[in-house]
Amino acid sequence: MTESATSETQRKISEKLDIPGAGFDRWWLLVAFVVGMILLLTLVTPDPFARMVRFMAEGIWVTIKITSISFALVVVVGLIGGLGRLSRNWLIKGMSTLYVEVIRGIPLMVQLLFWYFAFPAVIQNLGSSLNWPALSSYRPEPEPMAILGLTICYGAYMSEIYRAGIQSIGKGQMEAARSLGMTSVQSMRYVILPQAIRVILPPIGNEFISLLKDSSLVSVVAVADLTRLGREFSGRYAIPIETWSMVALIYLVMTILSARVVNWIEHKTKLA
Amino acid sequence: MTEPIIRIENVTKRFGHIHALKGVSLNIDKGEVVVIIGPSGSGKSTLLRCINRLEEFDGGLIVVDGIPLDSAQNINAVRTEVGMVFQSFNLFPHLSVIRNVTLAQEVVRKRKRAESDARAMELLEKVGIPEKANAFPHQLSGGQQQRVAIARALAMNPKIMLFDEPTSALDPEMIQEVLDVMLSLAREGMTMVVVSHEMGFARAAANRTIFMDEGLIVEEATPDMLFNHPTQERTKLFLSKIL
């Protein structure tokens, strides 16, 4: 009763705060401003800006690709990790906890370096001692290793988000589902997770934006992303101010655009 | 004498240091309505929750409709035959009223959407709120939510209904609408175990009233006998406080 009364007031307040016009809010102005800046620079001074953007276009695509693939995997790994953390099986729970604690304690940069340089060396050494040429001649591909590193790292943080979201759903919900004869898997799928997802949507959105920014670290493991191409361009023509300003603006467009999309999805699910 | 539909034998349960049930035995026959009263902490809710194994018990035996509550498989089998109504309703807030009533029908009973919809509407008629089928739980009053919860449990065609203080979280003016639904269920011959202090309901519907205190059944009798002529001192003391 009191619970539904508060959610009622909350909805009324949020409806009042919203600017009319199908979810438009003033943050779109910032998006327009930054996009406008980039257009202005490339149109008014095509040299070096238009040239620079053309040079880095492939890198923008690589950044988007690496971020999207990693994020899709992180959503799955996080769910598995989060459920594992809540498992009643001590082995599963222990392994999930170990994964989360170890990974969260190591800098992402070090993890990326490990997966690209150390892990393949381990495979190669193993291959030569087993006399197995398929392994000893193993050469890592930069992009898959970068995606692996980002996924494993962000999967650990995402596990904690899922765990917190699931735990935020009152235990009466699980009891009600179980008392109707649903198995624990069915209860999780039809009753707990749909509610938990709404709770964790904002932090999941934040994780996407962090991942987008942290993907710039993959430039140190031979991935030709936006940051990497920025460094090459800046080095080649010795114009650091222009290059890094443009790189920053491009990242900014991507992050605030993502924030708007997250906000929009959140808004939609709240009304449902 | 036929086999009782619920057979509870010497059930014990501890929560850490607290001895919640100290060896409770109780048989309930098909079609019987049993009301359990007692002070808070007396173990009445724990006993009720043991019947569909929402609470694990440490010792003793519970057999529901011939199925002993021992394996996970049996527990799920029993749960589909035993409906439960909670003090805090526990409706699924992300689902509309009708989906609350159809979810388990489809997932557990594997009924088709049309069939489960028809069953849900029939039950929403029965509890008196068919017009709220497409509303969401937060749009309903407490009394309406509890009636939906009853419909949700009935949708599984249970043989037994358990009520855990179904009116304790309700505003006074909404209590009667829930009790009326329970009363009509009792008249139809549903086996019911009700933890509640609603004397009016007990007098009108119960075959037996049980008084529990400190993890034991202290006294059981017809509602009239128990409320008007209790034999045990503890029962008299408790009744003098709530009447």
Side-chain angles (χ1 to χ4, degrees), chain A residues 34 38 56 226 242-255:
Chain A
V34 179
I38 294 174
M56 296 189 303
L226 174 56
E242 293 84 346
T243 312
W244 292 114
S245 302
M246 181 55 82
V247 169
L249 283 175
I250 294 172
Y251 272 113
L252 192 58
V253 169
M254 292 196 284
T255 51

Side-chain angles (χ1 to χ4, degrees), chain A residues 109-170:
Chain A
M109 172 84 107
V110 174
Q111 293 185 43
L112 290 170
L113 292 169
F114 178 89
W115 290 115
Y116 187 61
F117 293 111
F119 176 70
V122 170
I123 301 272
Q124 288 156 9
N125 291 348
L126 197 70
S128 28
S129 60
L130 289 175
N131 220 347
W132 200 351
L135 290 186
S136 55
S137 63
Y138 172 68
R139 292 281 174 277
E141 290 284 332
E143 286 185 13
M145 290 326 253
I147 289 169
L148 177 73
L150 288 173
T151 301
I152 288 180
C153 181
Y154 268 76
Y157 290 95
M158 195 67 97
S159 298
E160 287 299 274
I161 293 175
Y162 272 106
R163 182 181 63 79
I166 292 167
Q167 282 179 329
S168 77
I169 307 303

Side-chain angles (χ1 to χ4, degrees), chain A residues 172-173 175 178-179 190 195, chain B residues 49 79 90-94:
Chain A
Q173 290 290 310
E175 288 185 350
R178 298 305 301 273
S179 78
Y190 295 106
Q195 296 181 59
Chain B
R49 292 160 57 85
R79 282 178 180 155
N90 296 347
L91 291 183
F92 306 135
H94 61 299

Side-chain angles (χ1 to χ4, degrees), chain A residues 42-159:
Chain A
T42 52
L43 291 176
V44 174
T45 41
D47 190 35
F49 290 111
R51 201 152 51 84
M52 184 189 296
V53 170
R54 268 198 301 279
F55 183 84
M56 296 189 303
E58 185 66 17
I60 297 172
W61 165 240
V62 169
T63 288
I64 293 172
K65 187 176 70 179
I66 297 242
T67 304
S68 314
I69 297 175
S70 303
F71 185 71
L73 295 171
V74 162
V75 167
V76 177
V77 170
L79 176 59
I80 296 167
L83 290 173
R85 291 271 274 158
L86 296 168
S87 171
R88 276 197 287 183
N89 180 316
W90 67 269
L91 185 65
I92 295 174
K93 188 185 177 136
M95 276 168 47
S96 319
T97 307
L98 190 67
Y99 162 61
V100 170
E101 293 300 333
V102 167
I103 293 298
R104 286 199 308 178
I106 302 170
L108 174 55
M109 172 84 107
V110 174
Q111 293 185 43
L112 290 170
L113 292 169
F114 178 89
W115 290 115
Y116 187 61
F117 293 111
F119 176 70
V122 170
I123 301 272
Q124 288 156 9
N125 291 348
L126 197 70
S128 28
S129 60
L130 289 175
N131 220 347
W132 200 351
L135 290 186
S136 55
S137 63
Y138 172 68
R139 292 281 174 277
E141 290 284 332
E143 286 185 13
M145 290 326 253
I147 289 169
L148 177 73
L150 288 173
T151 301
I152 288 180
C153 181
Y154 268 76
Y157 290 95
M158 195 67 97
S159 298

Side-chain angles (χ1 to χ4, degrees), chain A residues 14-27:
Chain A
S14 67
E15 272 164 18
K16 270 209 183 102
L17 286 178
D18 273 349
I19 296 164
F24 178 87
D25 65 70
R26 64 208 109 173
W27 286 100

